[in-house]
Structures are given as structure tokens and as C-alpha cells.
Amino acid sequence: MSALPLLKSFSAPPICEKEVLRYAGCREADENILALLRSCTEEAAECFTYNVCYRVCDLSVSGAVCDFGAFSVESETLSQNLSASSRAIIFAATVGTGIDRLISKYSRISPARAVILQALGAERIEALCDAFCREMENELGGRHTPRRSPGYGDISLSVQHDIFSVLDAPRKIGLSLNDSLLMSPTKSVTAFIGVS
Amino acid sequence: MTFQKFLKSNIVYLDGGMGTLLQARGLLPGELPECWNITHPDVICDIHRAYFDAGSNVVCTNTFGANSLKFSDDELSAIITAAVSNAKRAREESSSPAPKFIALDIGPSGKLLAPLGDLDFEDAVSVFAKTVRIGVAAGVDLIIIETMNDSFETKAALLAAKENSNLPVIVSNAYGEDGKLMTGASPEAMVALLEGMGVSALGANCSLGPKQLSAVAKRLVAASSVPVILKPNAGLPKSVDGKTVFDVLPDEFADELSDIIKAGVRVVGGCCGTTPDYIRALTEKTRSLSPVPVTEKNITVVSSYTHAVSFGKKPVLIGERINPTGKKRFKQALRENDMDYILSEGVAQHERGVHILDVNVGLPEIDEVSMLKGAVAELQAVCDLPLQIDTSDPVAMETALRRYNGKAMINSVNGKEESMREVFPLVRKYGGVVVALTLDENGIPETADGRFEIAKKILAVAKEYGIDKKDIIFDTLAMTISADGGAALATLSSLRRIRNELSCHTSLGVSNVSFGLPNRDAVNGTFFALALQSGLSAAIMNPYSADMMKTYYTYNALSDLDENCAEYIAHADEFTLAPATTEKASATAEISGAESELSRAVVRGFKEKAAEITKELLKTEDALEIVNREIIPALDTVGRGFEAKTVYLPQLLMSAEAAKSAFEVIKSAVSGAEKKTSKGVFVIATVKGDIHDIGKNIVKLLLENYGFEVYDLGRDVPPEAVLDKVLELHAPFAGLSALMTTTVPAMEETVRLIKEKAPWCKTVVGGAVLTEEYAKKIGASKYARDAMETVRYAEVMVSK
């Protein structure tokens, strides 16, 4: 495992309106919704930051147990995903607290805006993860598996504790975990990627 | 020599990184470095000694993460005591001749404070207080609070340090590349907050290298009247051939910091990636520099959790609308604990261009202490303007100031002994700019001389409490000219004297001047102009008044305070026209001419239009008629469309919001006149441990639209609190939301409690992770897939 968690900051990936609408539960959009979407996008534009902290580590998979050195995870979902990989990237990504503030503001005074902003936040964090994964593929080479997060399949949410402690996420990117294993800022992702 | 004395006339050298060095000595990823104080005391002591030997004046104990969230009380006590003793041993063993101090190191708790996270402010204060008490007992020279990326948590730690020790406290924050803390505070906002609470030095550390942090350091130096700290990383960590290296080497690091010391920074050291070699290079390269004196900046400034607002250059507008005086609708909102109404007043004033919001929620029949505390917290969750805490109750004032995230404006103190005795200690402890009214035990002097004398007395007493005059703003009290033709002149003349002879800033509640006269706005606007010309710095005013805003924008343009008259031009057409509707012309055209305009405005989701039409209709029609003929059928159309999946959630909500704005007009018009008719009471909450609340708020909006009375307990609500409210209101319904699998047990517990203690109450549950099956399993009366389903269920149940 790398001695220290590493950091990457990204500039804003282009926004995919279609994705935002999908997260907002709109299969199609009339001009009212589009106007709302654009006004939300404009208001939120300045509030995002795009930060990732990560470690690359050696990996051994035996049965359902994935051993990352500092900790191991027992999960069918994850071991299947990582079975062909000899190394893993463990990362935490966040788009910051600004969008949470906006969502909470509008959730009180205009839920329609809140729903769109919520969707925008979801689209932004996924876009950040995509950008990070692309960059890691270029950097490390080899074949990379799709990312898998705690809570997906049978990967226990309690794995969050291990990820947070090896990544020093609160200090590195200001990401924290509450007693219910919920992340703050909420528009954040932690995940594993296998590298072979 | 004490640290404070040393700091006064020297460049102070702090130490460098700890974590990086421990990893080199075998600390494993994920292992807690604080434990090494006990398991590897020699290693810790070696590192501290190496820093002292390299020239550090201050070594920070290895207690960055030593807090009661991570360790039991016994462990914590053992760790911190060992940490201090390791540092003391290092100090004894070091051969360095420089003065040497030990700082109790306090880092972030690792949790985010509410409302963004789930750690309560007072709980955070208690967590830090434990660390402080143990560290102080073990014998340190000062306390350093560092790497904080949230202003609110910084305040909690600082309060804990101040309340549990008399040691000097220095505070350093982690700024990002955007020059802000993660939760949004600018350097100037942090200076306001920290100086207000009496820190000995303040600054920046971690996150970036010296070059990237130099801009932040310079902004801190420009704003701060106390010494500034800079403790940057050795650049950024990079992976080279599988090894982690930092990209700034000792010589370059020392060169960069040398420039920053010349720019006025007085306390320097290193953070992640720096080693004793960095500190040695730094001390050797900068030893001959003479410290730049720290100057008193004399800035009158308040702050929010994002930015600072200073007085003196441009007039500051303080929105007066969050105040029940003379407002029936506002009083009703307070009695009903309708926080959303108060929040919308705040947001709307922000949009009108005010810089600070006055917050007054005092009403004889409500608990002002808890209401003010709640209003301050909720306003700070939705609006980033600084607040003016406006209350005559000192307990409410203290409670609100304590919770306030920033340096607040305080309204008010006056020349009475009792008032000063109550208010000044609060200003001293929590920081703040206090509005001082020029009146005393003998009332308001009629003459300018009389008011001026009171102002001088207030300044003298403030000084005894250690409060500088920059933190006092005088209000020379506008009185109505309808009772005394000379009233305005007396106010203006005392204002001029205070500004010119005492060099203090001033504020006025402008609109009192016109009390009892027709077309008050016209008088207020002109009086405001005269006051500005007399040196007024701020006004508590109504931002919806076109006359007031006209004076503000024109005064700025005429006084060379508005470059290229840009702001004036942007607002010029607002002073003459009726408030413009924001909807597009095409939409308006489409609606006009229709048989049932209001229905269509609701269906299309036009908020302003719906309110406007309702206002018109109310002139000729009965409120109930409007609701039944127009609004309810429109809501039904949209609701059915949503159920048939031809209308999507955002559209449903836009309609619901339009309906709400129509209801709001009706409510204001009939406020107090009619008794409310309600289909039934819903107590709703997001369950304990969960902080998602959009879903819950959507349900609330729709239930209210359909005539249910909703009592919203908010998010992260303990099961007992839901039950208590259900019992208190004998509510027939409780709506519970949970988004996480980990919080479903809390929902189950809430349902169980209600079934046991309030068996009449139907529990409706929803949220992303829930299913019909799961709802059954936890014993809920109903699983609702979405807000419409909740409404339909409730309607069926009440009709039974």
C-alpha cells in the first residue's frame, strides 16, 4: 500500500442534462423543467469542488475474502469483482458541502428545486468518479474493474470504517462518516477498483 | 518567558509533520498515531526533540486525533498525559538554546457538525473540553487548534479551550485551493470569528504547499490584528516508483516561507510531509529577519459561516422583516412554530439585496430562548448572510450567540447600567458587534448633546469589559417627526458627532421617523438619504420599500461607491414599476384568457402568477370558494397525472409550490379571522441517524396542499420525540422517512413505540430503502411509495 493517501483535484466535468433529469425521475422534460434545470445548474455551478483521495495497494483474493493489507473484506460481490486483479485502488470522492447546503435550503422553500439539485449532485459525483477512474486507467495501465462501493450487493456498509481510516478521508478531503455510516457531504462516493 | 510575551516580539517557529515520520518508523495505514505516545514513547520523544534541536520554539503534542469520539475516557487521559510527558522530556533533552514551549494539539473531531453532519454543536464542545482539561492538567504552555476545515467546529473547539483554561490559544485552519474552508468560510470571515473570541494568533495550515497558501496568508495578514500563522505542507504528495514523496524540498520551502515572513506572517512551521530538515532550513534561512509588527486594523466587521461584512465604506443594509412587531401573519407563524415561513422571509430579503438579517422572534406567549436558538440555526442552514441577534432577553441572546456560526451583530445594549452589565460580558465571550442605543435610565435625551454623552459613557464602560470601540455601533434613535418637528434633526446631529468626534460607526432603525404619517416610505427614503450624508454606516430597514432601495442605490452611485453605476443600472427599473413577475411572457399569454386562470397557473407551476391571481380573486370571492373551485381541482389534475406517470416529480412539486403560494395569500388575508379547518394532524420526521429530508419535505408540502395540518419535527429525530409530539397533539397520523438501511432500525423502534403508547395513530413510512414487505415487517400501518400515495391514504382514512 502507498505510504500515504494521495490526492487528486479535478476541474468540473461537463454536465450531462439527460443524466440529471434521469436522477430527478423525468423521462422527458418540457420547457418548464428545462428552465428549472438550467436555473439550478447556474446557481449551483460555483458550489462544487471535485476532490478524490486514494491509495493503491496489493490485493489477494481467496474465496470470498479480499485482503487489502491494512484490512480485509468478506464479500461475494467484491471478491467476484476483484478475483482477477492483483492490485486495488481504494478511493473516496466528494463534490463538497456546497450542494448539501443548497439542497437543504430549497428542501425548505422549494422542493422542486431541491429535487433537481439533488439530481444534479448525484450526476456530479458520478461524473467525478468517472473522471477519476479514467485518469487512473491512464496512469496505472492494465485492466480496471468497474468500481464497487460499500452497500452494493453484499459489501457491508461497515467497510466504510476501514476505508475512512486508511484514506484519512476527513483530513484529506473533508469527508466524514456519521453513526449511521452515512457520509457528509452526502454527494460522495467510496469504492474499490481492481487492477490487473 | 511566557509564550504570549515571546509571541509579541519574535518570529515564532512551530514544528513540522508528525504522521509522515511515524509512517517511516512503522506506523501502519489506519493505525491511530496517538496510541504511539504510550506504545512507542521513545519514537515520539525523538521526533519532538529533533524539532526542538532544529530550532522549533513550539512543539505540538502528538494528540491530533485524541478525542473522546475515538477513545474511552481512560484511554484518552492516558494518551494525552503520555503525549505531554513525551514533549516535556524532549524539551529537557534538547540542546537548542531557543525558548521552547509545548502546545496541546487539537485537530478536527473527524465528524461534521450539524446541520451538514450529525454532531451537535454542544456535543462537539464537550468532546473538545475533555481533551483540553486533560492536556491543561498535564501542563502545557498553550493550546493549538489546527487543520480545522469547518468554522463551526473551530468555534466549538475554541469555546472549549476558552472555557476550560486560561492558556493562550492559537488557531489554524485548512484552506482549500479556492481560498476557503471546506464548509465555505473566507479568511476574512475566520479573522472576524477568531479575533472576536480572543485568540492569540490565527492562520492556515495543511492542505497545500507554501506557494499555494501564500495568498490566503496575505489576506489573513491584511485583516488580522493578531499575529498570523502559516504551517503549510511540503507541497503535494506524489507517488514516484511506488514511493510517496512530497514535491517541495526543504530549501524551496524555506525560501517560500521567508518571503511570507517578510509579508507579515509571524508564526511559521510545517505540516504534512515536512521534517526536522525543513524546520532547520527554515530557521537558518530566516533567523536574521526582523518580525513585521502586527498592527491594529480597526475594522468593524461581522461574519457568517462564509463571508465577512465590514462597516464604513458602503452603507450596510440590515433587513428588518424577521420581526413580529405589527405583523399578524408573522405572529401566527411564530405561534404555530412555522419555521418555513420565517426562513422564506430571510431568503426573500437576501434576494432583495440586504447584507445582514435582523432576527427578532420575541412574542409574549412563546418560549423566546428556544425559538431564537432554533431560528438562528435554521436560518444559517439556508442563508449565508450574517445575522443580527435582536432580543431584550439576555438568556435568549447568549443561547443564540453561542450557537451562531460566525461573529454576530447584536441588537442591542444601551446606556443603562443593567443593560451593559448583561450584554457586554456576552460580547466579550462570544465576539460580536453590538448596537448601542443612546438612551439610559433617564430615557432618550432630546438633544444631540445628551445622546452624545451617553455614547461616551457606553464606550468607557465597554472598555472596562475589554471591548474595543470598533465592536460598538451607535444607534442615535430615530423618533417620529409627527410628534416633534425637531426629532429627525436631533437624531442626525448626534449621528454626525458620534461619527466625527468618536470615530464610531452608526446604525438607525430608519422607519420610526415617519410613524403616524401617510405614505411613510416617501419620508423614510429621504430621511435615509440625509442620514447617509451625515455618515450613517448601516440601516435596519425594509428591503421591499422602493423608496429605501432607491435611496441606497442612488446614494452609492452619487458617492462613487458604485463603479460605472453598475448596481444602480441593474436595479433602476425596480423603483418605478410594480414588482415584476418572473414568469416568461409567453406563459402569461397562454394563461390569460383561460376560464380558470388560477387552476392553470397551479397546473403549470407558476408560483408568482398563482399568488397574484389569488390576490385579485380574493377581492371579489370567498376564500373557500377559490380553494374548492380552483386550487383543489388543479392539484388533483396534476396528482392524477403523477400517478399515471404522465407528470414527473419536479412538475408535481412546481404545481404544489404554486398552490402553496396561493394558499399563503389566502392565509395572510384571513389570518386570525377564521379558525383553521384541518382534515387531520400529521406528525412527520426523518428518523434518528438520518439527515436526508427532501422526501419528507415533499410529503409535507403535498399534505398541506390537501388540507392536512403538518407538524414537522425535522431530521435525525429520536423515536421518543416523535411519540411525544403524537401524544401531545393526539395526532391520527405519523409519517416517517428513512433513506439508509442503517437507519431503518430507528424507524422500526419509532413505529413500535407509537403502536404501544399511541395505538390510535397510523404510521406511514417511506424512503429509498423501504419496500412494502419491509414496512409490514416493522409493523407500520402503511408503506407509501411516494408523496401522492401518502395523501391518498390519509384521505381514505379520514373519510372512514
Side-chain angles (χ1 to χ4, degrees), chain A residues 1-33:
Chain A
M1 182 170 286
S2 47
L4 285 172
L6 300 174
L7 284 169
K8 279 190 193 293
S9 293
F10 293 81
S11 50
I15 291 175
C16 175
E17 287 188 347
K18 226 175 128 188
E19 274 295 283
V20 181
L21 288 170
R22 190 175 68 79
Y23 283 115
C26 295
R27 260 173 297 139
E28 56 207 302
D30 61 15
E31 63 180 287
N32 275 343
I33 295 292

Side-chain angles (χ1 to χ4, degrees), chain B residues 597-627:
Chain B
E597 277 190 74
L598 180 54
S599 285
R600 301 202 55 176
V602 170
V603 169
R604 298 300 307 270
F606 296 136
K607 256 197 252 192
E608 285 81 4
K609 193 85 202 163
E612 243 172 74
I613 302 173
T614 309
K615 242 177 235 161
E616 273 306 306
L617 287 178
L618 272 175
K619 288 179 185 161
T620 53
E621 289 185 55
D622 176 54
L624 199 64
E625 172 71 17
I626 300 173
V627 172

Side-chain angles (χ1 to χ4, degrees), chain B residues 585-595 597 600 609 613:
Chain B
S586 65
T588 319
E590 190 187 330
I591 285 173
S592 69
E595 270 184 7
E597 277 190 74
R600 301 202 55 176
K609 193 85 202 163
I613 302 173

Side-chain angles (χ1 to χ4, degrees), chain A residues 3-4 25 28 30 32-33 97 101 103 105 107-108 110-112 115 118 171 174 176 178-180 182 184, chain B residues 23 110-112 116 118 182 244 246 271 305 340 378 382 604 648 651 653 657 689 692-694 697 740 742:
Chain A
L4 285 172
E28 56 207 302
D30 61 15
N32 275 343
I33 295 292
T97 54
R101 284 201 192 276
I103 292 171
K105 168 179 175 178
S107 144
R108 299 300 293 271
S110 170
V115 163
Q118 163 94 352
R171 180 165 184 171
S176 65
N178 79 5
D179 294 340
S180 318
L182 183 73
S184 302
Chain B
Q23 266 141 1
K111 288 211 160 207
L112 202 50
L116 290 167
D118 68 341
M182 186 207 38
T244 310
F246 283 83
C271 204
Y305 54 87
D340 289 357
E378 301 243 30
V382 304
R604 298 300 307 270
Y648 301 110
Q651 294 164 313
L653 293 174
E657 287 173 30
H692 295 89
D693 65 354
I694 296 189
N697 291 345
M740 304 275 294
T742 45

Side-chain angles (χ1 to χ4, degrees), chain B residues 227-542:
Chain B
V228 169
I229 308 162
L230 189 66
K231 203 174 184 287
N233 289 346
L236 284 171
K238 279 187 182 153
S239 184
V240 178
D241 303 328
K243 272 190 169 171
T244 310
V245 293
F246 283 83
D247 64 1
V248 177
L249 297 173
D251 276 341
E252 187 189 347
F253 185 83
D255 284 337
E256 296 282 353
L257 277 186
S258 174
D259 289 344
I260 293 170
I261 291 172
K262 287 177 199 155
V265 167
R266 289 285 299 274
V267 183
V268 287
C271 204
C272 304
T274 61
T275 64
D277 289 342
Y278 285 75
I279 300 302
R280 185 167 296 106
L282 172 64
T283 51
E284 280 169 5
K285 208 156 265 182
T286 61
R287 195 62 88 187
S288 59
L289 295 179
S290 40
V292 177
V294 178
T295 53
E296 175 57 53
K297 302 298 187 297
N298 263 321
I299 305 171
T300 296
V301 62
V302 294
S303 67
S304 67
Y305 54 87
T306 55
H307 65 281
V309 170
S310 59
F311 294 78
K313 209 169 165 216
K314 257 179 145 175
V316 172
L317 301 180
I318 306 169
E320 68 178 14
R321 303 290 300 170
I322 302 183
N323 189 323
T325 312
K327 299 190 197 83
K328 255 198 297 185
R329 178 66 187 90
F330 199 97
K331 285 180 186 163
Q332 187 191 350
L334 285 179
R335 281 189 211 103
E336 293 171 0
N337 197 29
D338 180 359
M339 198 57 87
D340 289 357
Y341 182 82
I342 298 171
L343 298 185
S344 343
E345 274 290 355
V347 171
Q349 290 184 89
H350 189 183
E351 282 164 7
R352 286 291 296 173
V354 304
H355 309 108
I356 294 173
L357 293 176
D358 184 80
V359 184
N360 182 324
V361 292
L363 208 58
E365 64 265 42
I366 65 158
D367 174 4
E368 188 183 350
V369 176
S370 75
M371 182 52 97
L372 185 61
K373 179 177 155 189
V376 164
E378 301 243 30
L379 276 164
Q380 288 211 294
V382 304
C383 172
D384 68 1
L385 292 181
L387 303 181
Q388 168 162 289
I389 313 290
D390 182 359
T391 175
S392 52
D393 176 350
V395 178
M397 188 182 280
E398 170 153 26
T399 313
L401 284 176
R402 196 175 170 87
R403 281 283 169 144
Y404 180 74
N405 188 355
K407 180 187 182 190
M409 192 148 176
I410 302 164
N411 192 6
S412 59
V413 71
N414 60 52
K416 293 179 188 167
E417 289 298 330
E418 189 194 359
S419 167
M420 293 191 281
R421 204 168 48 234
E422 283 170 351
V423 175
F424 283 150
L426 301 181
V427 180
R428 175 74 182 149
K429 179 171 182 185
Y430 298 105
V433 168
V434 63
V435 176
L437 312 179
T438 52
L439 60 85
D440 65 9
E441 285 83 358
N442 301 316
I444 303 171
E446 273 178 36
T447 64
D449 280 349
R451 294 183 205 179
F452 183 73
E453 287 308 316
I454 293 177
K456 284 207 295 196
K457 177 175 80 181
I458 292 174
L459 281 186
V461 178
K463 204 171 175 188
E464 289 168 21
Y465 283 92
I467 298 165
D468 196 87
K469 72 175 183 184
K470 73 178 177 190
D471 285 329
I472 296 187
I473 288 190
F474 285 102
D475 183 332
T476 57
L477 300 161
M479 313 285 285
T480 177
I481 49 169
S482 66
D484 170 6
L489 292 178
T491 305
L492 294 173
S493 140
S494 38
L495 198 146
R496 266 192 300 273
R497 289 197 60 190
I498 287 172
R499 182 76 200 113
N500 297 334
E501 294 173 40
L502 301 177
S503 311
C504 283
H505 289 292
T506 53
S507 167
L508 280 178
V510 174
S511 48
N512 295 338
V513 81
S514 61
F515 192 79
L517 292 176
N519 193 4
R520 293 181 59 184
D521 274 356
V523 180
N524 296 345
T526 304
F527 179 60
F528 185 30
L530 291 171
L532 287 171
Q533 187 57 23
S534 306
L536 184 74
S537 326
I540 305 180
M541 46 79 74
N542 174 7

Side-chain angles (χ1 to χ4, degrees), chain B residues 34 200 221 273 392 474 487 511 550 633 764:
Chain B
E34 295 78 18
S200 299
V221 168
S392 52
F474 285 102
S511 48
K550 178 162 77 182
V764 186

Side-chain angles (χ1 to χ4, degrees), chain B residues 525-598:
Chain B
T526 304
F527 179 60
F528 185 30
L530 291 171
L532 287 171
Q533 187 57 23
S534 306
L536 184 74
S537 326
I540 305 180
M541 46 79 74
N542 174 7
Y544 303 116
S545 158
D547 283 302
M548 289 295 290
M549 295 311 288
K550 178 162 77 182
T551 298
Y552 172 74
Y553 289 114
T554 50
Y555 174 85
N556 285 345
L558 293 164
S559 310
D560 196 16
L561 295 171
D562 180 5
E563 204 178 337
N564 301 326
C565 301
E567 282 195 356
Y568 172 75
I569 292 167
H571 295 275
D573 58 356
E574 290 167 18
F575 314 135
T576 41
L577 299 173
T581 58
T582 54
E583 276 103 30
K584 279 175 279 165
S586 65
T588 319
E590 190 187 330
I591 285 173
S592 69
E595 270 184 7
S596 140
E597 277 190 74
L598 180 54

